[in-house]
Amino acid sequence: MPVTITLNFTPAEETEVAAILGCSIADLNNQLNTCAKASLSEYLTMFRGQKVFKRGSDMLEYRLLLLIENTFNGEIPDERTVSSLFQTTLTESRSIIKSVISKFQYQLRPHIDNTLKATLQRATRQNNTQDYTVVINSQNVVNELNKTLADIDGSLSEIIKKKGSVSTFEIPPSSYNQLCNKFHIQANP
């Protein structure tokens, strides 16, 4: 069923909301429509008595689930994105994401896998003797990759933060190749 709403923004509000959502002003309408779909889904489940929340954290987690499914193209957002949307600290955002991944693990499995695949596809290395490196802005993604490595073979080397970097991680070639095999993606040279 098509639902149409009209929002009245001042130019300053439009610029601010576009910046918060990480999109251009030209793409703001499309981005808000994906958010509206998530929020309407939340309301409809409440109206129908399908989801009744007793705690505020449960509501935040469910909202994030709906945003992942409707707004983030099926990828798990990083802590900074969640912080800008939910007005939470990075630590609180990390905890919300971790809870969502845990509580909705079966429902989110395809989205988690897509996030991990996208991360692996961004990994590069200078030459055949070095580890792969990739910028990962979410500790939860690092944790999921390391859990996957443990599931594949507990003797594989874990993904670790590159010394002296803020969010660059190193993936040993053997671990990288096993992850690529697991997710059926082409390994970067």
Side-chain angles (χ1 to χ4, degrees):
M1 153 187 326
V3 177
T4 304
I5 61 169
T6 302
L7 300 173
N8 296 313
F9 284 123
T10 65
E13 290 170 331
E14 190 175 57
T15 301
E16 179 184 36
V17 172
I20 290 168
L21 295 176
C23 66
S24 67
I25 292 174
D27 195 38
L28 183 58
N29 185 56
N30 290 335
Q31 192 69 16
L32 285 174
N33 277 320
T34 64
C35 293
K37 184 176 179 185
S39 64
L40 282 173
S41 295
E42 178 186 341
Y43 275 113
L44 290 173
T45 57
M46 179 186 68
F47 295 160
R48 297 173 66 209
Q50 294 172 318
K51 295 281 184 184
V52 179
F53 301 107
K54 302 289 185 214
R55 299 178 312 145
S57 60
D58 291 334
M59 186 177 297
L60 289 178
E61 291 161 2
Y62 187 62
R63 282 183 181 160
L64 181 56
L65 169 70
L66 293 172
L67 287 170
I68 290 167
E69 293 179 333
N70 294 287
T71 305
F72 297 125
N73 298 320
E75 285 199 30
I76 308 300
D78 61 45
E79 289 87 358
R80 285 182 285 176
T81 301
V82 172
S83 290
S84 69
L85 295 176
F86 289 25
Q87 309 306 310
T88 53
T89 66
L90 288 176
T91 303
E92 290 169 327
S93 296
R94 187 174 300 116
S95 178
I96 293 168
I97 296 166
K98 184 178 179 180
S99 293
V100 168
I101 289 172
S102 177
K103 284 184 182 179
F104 303 103
Q105 61 184 305
Y106 302 113
Q107 187 175 347
L108 281 178
R109 181 48 47 200
H111 302 306
I112 294 167
D113 289 351
N114 287 339
T115 302
L116 300 182
K117 286 177 190 179
T119 301
L120 291 169
Q121 290 171 326
R122 290 193 316 269
T124 60
R125 64 180 174 171
Q126 298 291 347
N127 60 52
N128 292 344
T129 63
Q130 293 183 325
D131 288 344
Y132 287 86
T133 59
V134 62
V135 173
I136 306 174
N137 290 317
S138 174
Q139 185 59 46
N140 289 297
V141 171
V142 175
N143 294 345
E144 286 297 316
L145 285 167
N146 281 328
K147 282 196 304 190
T148 303
L149 282 172
D151 290 344
I152 294 169
D153 180 353
S155 67
L156 290 167
S157 298
E158 70 179 345
I159 297 167
I160 58 171
K161 187 178 286 188
K162 184 176 182 180
K163 193 173 194 161
S165 76
V166 175
S167 56
T168 300
F169 288 82
E170 297 177 325
I171 310 172
S174 59
S175 297
Y176 176 78
N177 289 327
Q178 288 295 322
L179 287 167
C180 288
N181 287 337
K182 162 79 175 160
F183 292 112
H184 308 291
I185 59 173
Q186 180 68 41
N188 291 326

